[in-house]
């Protein structure tokens, strides 16, 4: 089955700096890669996603890149703000997975220091 | 709030007791998922429903676990003879197409 590795597990950045989180996946049949943000005690919320036919996608201060050959994808947050502090999860979905089942990485705890 | 709702938010039980959680998906979402999340980890898939049919179950779902979605709307997850290792956050998600929307979860503590 699919395996998703995520690095780093914790990331501390100064407000205004950029943050980068990297994930690798194992199943070459994966074609959909969402990123979720989870604040303490709250539900995971989708912040951006990318499909395998696209190499990069941007939404204001966040962007995701995908390298299908290397089977890795990354989340980039620019001009970080204190409200960006949260745990971020990457995930992958394989076309072989029933019903769009997601396989998640282990998460990255991001702390933005003011 | 028209999002995915889960009840209860917290459950404390003694080892050996049975517990049941409920998930109400977003209206008209035909797909419903259960995940388990332990501290410091990402959600792990447990099971998936399309309408009322349970189409996939993870190996994580031992025979003490059972899930239902009787009318294709809300779902229940029951854990029988709870063990301390069952302590976790149980998340429900629903989708119509690709995007999965999560509930806030039920945090289970087994003493």
């Amino acid at each position: 089955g699919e395996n998703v590795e995520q690095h780093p597990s914790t990331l501390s950045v100064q407000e205004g700096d950029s943050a980068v989180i990297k994930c690798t996946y194992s199943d070459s049949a994966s074609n959909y890669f969402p990123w979720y943000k989870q604040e303490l005690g709250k539900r995971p919320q989708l912040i951006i996603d990318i499909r395998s036919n696209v190499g990069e996608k941007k939404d204001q201060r966040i962007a995701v890149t995908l390298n299908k050959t290397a089977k890795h994808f990354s989340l980039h947050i620019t001009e970080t703000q204190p409200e960006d502090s949260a745990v971020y999860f990457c995930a992958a979905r394989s076309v072989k997975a029933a019903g769009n089942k997601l396989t998640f990485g282990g998460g990255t705890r991001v702390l933005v220091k003011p | 709030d028209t999002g995915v709702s889960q009840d209860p938010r917290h459950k404390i039980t003694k080892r050996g007791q049975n517990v049941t959680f409920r998930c109400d998906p977003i209206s008209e979402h035909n797909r419903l998922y259960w995940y388990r999340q332990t501290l410091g980890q990402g959600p792990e898939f447990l099971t998936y429903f399309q309408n009322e049919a349970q189409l996939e179950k993870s190996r994580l779902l031992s025979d003490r676990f059972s899930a239902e979605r009787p009318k294709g709307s809300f779902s229940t997850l029951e854990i029988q003879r709870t063990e301390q290792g069952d302590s976790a956050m149980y998340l429900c998600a629903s989708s119509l197409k690709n995007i999965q929307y999560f509930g806030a979860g039920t945090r289970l503590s087994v003493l």
Side-chain angles (χ1 to χ4, degrees):
Chain A
E2 175 70 279
N3 184 51
V4 177
E5 299 284 339
Q6 182 170 348
H7 299 280
S9 57
T10 59
L11 181 60
S12 182
V13 296
Q14 207 66 38
E15 182 178 358
D17 288 350
S18 295
V20 180
I21 303 169
K22 298 182 179 182
C23 290
T24 59
Y25 60 98
S26 61
D27 189 344
S28 56
S30 289
N31 65 349
Y32 175 66
F33 307 91
W35 286 87
Y36 284 84
K37 175 183 180 182
Q38 187 175 29
E39 297 177 64
L40 192 63
K42 296 191 176 180
R43 68 190 71 200
Q45 291 196 303
L46 180 75
I47 55 171
I48 196 167
D49 57 10
I50 191 167
R51 300 179 196 284
S52 58
N53 59 346
V54 175
E56 184 174 355
K57 183 177 178 181
K58 189 174 181 180
D59 183 4
Q60 298 182 351
R61 295 187 297 108
I62 59 173
V64 58
T65 58
L66 171 65
N67 183 326
K68 285 173 54 180
T69 303
K71 289 190 282 189
H72 68 70
F73 55 114
S74 300
L75 178 72
H76 304 252
I77 308 173
T78 59
E79 301 171 21
T80 53
Q81 301 168 4
E83 52 264 37
D84 295 328
S85 295
V87 180
Y88 292 80
F89 294 99
C90 63
R93 182 197 70 194
S94 171
V95 294
K96 296 184 292 187
N100 296 343
K101 174 182 75 174
L102 295 175
T103 300
F104 284 84
T108 298
R109 182 173 300 279
V110 174
L111 175 63
V112 180
K113 295 180 287 187
Chain B
D1 187 354
T2 57
V4 178
S5 61
Q6 293 187 243
D7 183 69
R9 291 293 311 277
H10 304 275
K11 179 69 177 179
I12 300 173
T13 191
K14 292 182 178 179
R15 190 175 51 186
Q17 297 295 304
N18 299 343
V19 295
T20 300
F21 312 141
R22 176 179 169 125
C23 171
D24 286 90
I26 294 172
S27 180
E28 297 179 356
H29 278 193
N30 59 344
R31 293 172 175 167
L32 187 147
Y33 310 80
W34 285 98
Y35 291 85
R36 183 173 69 187
Q37 185 177 27
T38 53
L39 202 60
Q41 301 296 319
E44 296 175 290
F45 171 80
L46 292 179
T47 190
Y48 150 68
F49 290 86
Q50 180 151 332
N51 300 311
E52 67 275 10
Q54 187 174 19
L55 297 185
E56 186 170 350
K57 293 192 289 186
S58 163
R59 286 172 292 178
L60 292 175
L61 214 66
S62 76
D63 55 8
R64 296 185 297 106
F65 288 69
S66 62
E68 294 183 341
R69 195 183 183 196
K71 298 181 180 179
S73 56
F74 74 91
S75 175
T76 58
L77 177 68
E78 180 183 16
I79 309 174
Q80 296 182 325
R81 306 181 302 281
T82 52
E83 302 173 355
Q84 287 185 323
D86 297 331
S87 295
M89 175 74 83
Y90 290 84
L91 292 165
C92 176
S94 71
S95 74
L96 187 57
K97 292 185 178 179
N98 291 310
I99 298 175
Q100 292 187 25
Y101 297 88
F102 282 83
T106 294
R107 182 170 295 284
L108 173 66
S109 297
V110 181
L111 305 178

